[in-house]
Amino acid sequence: MKIPFWVCHQKQERCFKYNGKPLPICSRCLSLYFSLIFGFALSILFNLADNFDKKEMLFFIISLNLPLFIDSITQFFKIRESTNFLRLITGFFSGLSLGIGLHYLII
């Protein structure tokens, strides 16, 4: 199944496999999208966005996206090759922060 390129780059070596076939979305994007929804729902449920002022929210988002940034940059410059598990973890933290940040922007 092909999905639009702006959703995910869909490199097969970066996708989890199910029944020997790669999923249509890479491990990082899969984790990011699910955790974005999860973070948004968690923020609404526990009213997390009210606990931050603007500077704290910006620091929170930057700090949880920093691992993804470092992983992406070091892979882009061929310093090292990332694993699907690391992509899953960095995508999770990034999506979580963005979901909570999205709730913060809406309220």
Side-chain angles (χ1 to χ4, degrees):
M1 177 169 83
K2 205 69 167 145
I3 56 175
F5 71 91
W6 49 268
V7 173
C8 179
H9 57 68
Q10 304 169 16
K11 292 183 179 179
Q12 290 188 1
E13 66 274 7
R14 295 183 184 173
C15 297
F16 288 120
K17 294 183 178 36
Y18 180 74
N19 284 340
K21 294 182 180 181
L23 294 176
I25 189 166
C26 77
S27 56
R28 180 173 287 146
C29 291
L30 180 71
S31 177
L32 193 139
Y33 293 139
F34 278 120
S35 63
L36 188 136
I37 294 166
F38 176 71
F40 186 76
L42 197 66
S43 184
I44 290 172
L45 187 62
F46 293 107
N47 211 12
L48 298 176
D50 283 344
N51 297 331
F52 296 102
D53 65 11
K54 287 180 184 179
K55 288 181 183 178
E56 291 171 337
M57 180 56 72
L58 183 62
F59 178 76
F60 175 75
I61 291 173
I62 289 172
S63 63
L64 286 184
N65 278 284
L66 194 60
L68 185 140
F69 178 74
I70 292 169
D71 184 44
S72 299
I73 292 297
T74 56
Q75 186 169 327
F76 178 78
F77 287 111
K78 301 193 186 322
I79 296 170
R80 60 176 193 76
E81 184 67 27
S82 186
T83 64
N84 279 344
F85 180 72
L86 187 56
R87 289 184 194 105
L88 182 82
I89 298 300
T90 57
F92 174 80
F93 286 123
S94 178
L96 190 68
S97 72
L98 295 175
I100 295 170
L102 181 63
H103 181 230
Y104 180 82
L105 287 175
I106 291 173
I107 61 168

